Amino acid sequence: MNDMRIAERDVSTSETKIAARGVQVHYGTTHALKDVDIDILNGNVTAFIGPSGCGKSTFLRCLNRMNDTIAAAKVTGSIKLDGEDIYDAKVDPVQLRAKVGMVFQKPNPFPKSIYDNVAYGPKIHGLTRSKAELDNVVETSLKKAALWNEVKDRLHSPGTGLSGGQQQRLCIARAVATSPEVLLMDEPCSALDPIATAQVEELIDELRGQFAVVIVTHSMQQAARVSQKTAFFHLGNLVEFGETGQIFTNPRDPRTESYISGRIG
Amino acid sequence: MPVLWIALIVLAAAAIAYVLARRSALASAQGDVRRMHSLPSYYGWHAFILTALPALLLMLAWLIFQPLFIENRIASQLPAEATATATSQQLAMRDVRSVADGLQAAISSGAITPEEMEAFTNDPSTLRARLGEAGVALGGNVTSETLEAAQNFRALASTMNLTMTVLVIGVALAGAAIALKQVRPDFWARNAVERTVMGLLIFASAIAIFTTISIVFSMVFETMNFFRQYPWQSFFFGTTWSPVFHGNSQLGIVPLLWGTLYISFIALLVAVPIGLFAAIYLSEYASNRVRSFAKPLIEVLAGIPTIVYGLFALVTVGPLLRDYFAQPLGLGSSGTSVMTAGLVMGVMIIPFVSSLSDDIINSVPQSLRDGSLGLGATKSETIRQVVLPAALPGIVGAVLLAASRAIGETMIVVLGAGAAARLGLNPFEAMTTITVKIVSQLTGDTDFNSPETLVAFALGLTLFVITLGLNIFALYIVRKYREQYE
Ligand SMILES: Nc1ncnc2c1ncn2[C@@H]1O[C@H](COP(=O)(O)OP(=O)(O)OP(=O)(O)O)[C@@H](O)[C@H]1O
Ligand SMILES: [Mg+2]
């Protein structure tokens, strides 16, 4: 169990970034998420774990209102970002998503060049003032996503021509380039080899200096390695939420216990 | 025996063979389907195919070659002066055939008795009048050589018919017998049927390809014929179109080509933006309910007969444009104009653009939209920068399809833009297109060998080459994009 270096990093007791209370999601008649209360802290990495289909992605999509694009999805309860309800009529979901970036479960590069994929967010939001500045943003984002060395000679070839794992890192770079305040990552390492995974984990750790990071993962080791807080979902319920060290060494709920031990015991 | 009957008999035999083969397959496996290689119905189908297919193919071949064979035999019996040249032989054979057909019709309806026939053999001079009374008109008087040849013709045809009937039914029965003998649990009936299905599919695609090739060839031959009588330089570069039916015509394609392209251009100018915007609305913004009735409603436009569009152009749009635009602006007083035809044609091809583009935009994966929205892009930014580029190859294809439709359109042009070939820029003047001129050169009393008529083939071939070029261009664009972004 030497890769279970359980968070030697302390939970910074900084302020709450996102506060979710009583969140319920229905897809038509399916009750996908039941009464979830969670606080996402600034400067922390929060990991969501749980068996497939338990609602991790669904909850993640609530946090930047991506569920708006699914006609059948109905979200109730309150989710506050910096104390402001994001489902309030006054909040523009477009602005919200610029602040709460997302890396999706399946890599989805745009049918554009690698460069344009990464430059997409900065261009839309007018984050850079000159071409040189934009070049710089693209380069640092690709470096952060551990992709720069592989693509620096072909920035203008299509992003869809990359391998699956490279595409996943391209999507990470794309999200990072927009400099969000919160970064939601849905299984960002599912198609990556151990080296790239380590690099992305390094990135996640680095990012939490600036953003709050939420990561969904099926790898217990990864959750233990990168996160300070862990939430365990089961059948649409948030079963247990606490400090990562406590969840992995001393879970309170028997379901958490059996899930964790089933995987890493 | 009539061909239809033979075909029915063969099919009936095949149906019986199906039932028998199925039953004997089941029996040979003692009712346990799992012990056979294929399901019982496959043995049935195998028997059906083996009974019907060779027999029907034989019949088809026979029907194609029998007339050629008979013609040859009879022609060799005709007197030498009749077969001296190809033309005179053709004429003589035509006489023989019409007399033979006339006799056949008259005898089978009972208008001429066999005894009368005897009399005619000795003296054929009254035959024409007699056949005329019986309702069969002949072109000229019948000579005794012709009558003899015609009698031989009939005899030969009837023996050959009989032979065919016997052979075809024989082949069918033999096929059935072979198939029934083959029924054993270890016979791969399923694979045999599979091969036949493949053959059928190949045959169907071969027919489509051969038709295209033969259409092109017939056009090419007539076009070469035309260029022997009319210099190609004057055709391709001539700027005047004025056919005169006593010769000395000027048959320059340039004004027609210009009219075609001008009208199609205006039509696309109308159809592409409207169609594309409608498609974007339908696929990205409209709710499912709106979409489910708006889309068929737009598609109705494609179902309206073009002649109705033509009338609309002639009666409504044309006068409207003349009275409110052309005349006040001093641009002419023609009721028919390029603008009229272009606008109406544009409306007609909207559904080609919108419906196809809508399907294509819908097939862009939702994950791409999510990716863009997730970065804080608005809906229209997402559409412009992600969805449309991804859908572009398909949209180009839709536009080019609409363009070929516009280029080939005739009715709207005749009624909307008129039939006067003219080379000009004013969109409120009457002009015309290649297709309209093809129709007008081929209709009416014309000598089929004059350049004025043959030019229609040259025009048609040019049009074909243009649309072919458009299609190849479309394929090229689509492929280029695919390579880049897939
Ligand atoms: N668009 C949708 N329409 C209807 N039901 C959905 C939709 N998306 C998810 N669901 C349902 O909601 C439940 C939770 O799905 P979700 O995608 O959140 O699972 P998950 O925890 O992310 O699983 P995985 O680990 O496999 O990604 C599932 O039962 C799923 O069938
Ligand atoms: Mg998921």
Side-chain angles (χ1 to χ4, degrees), chain A residues 61 64 66 69 94 97-98 100-102 104 108-113 120 124-125 158 160 174-175 178, chain B residues 366-379 381-382 384-386 389-390 483-486:
Chain A
R61 293 168 64 94
N64 66 347
M66 280 308 289
T69 63
V94 172
R97 290 181 199 134
V100 184
M102 182 161 196
F104 291 82
N108 53 355
F110 302 138
K112 297 174 180 297
S113 70
Y120 187 82
I124 285 182
H125 300 297
T160 39
R174 194 172 71 182
T178 318
Chain B
Q366 178 64 29
S367 67
L368 285 185
R369 293 187 189 93
D370 283 352
S372 172
L373 294 173
L375 289 170
T378 64
K379 203 155 185 174
E381 283 164 350
T382 301
R384 245 183 308 131
Q385 309 212 22
V386 176
E483 258 166 34
Q484 251 181 41
Y485 294 125
E486 212 156 68

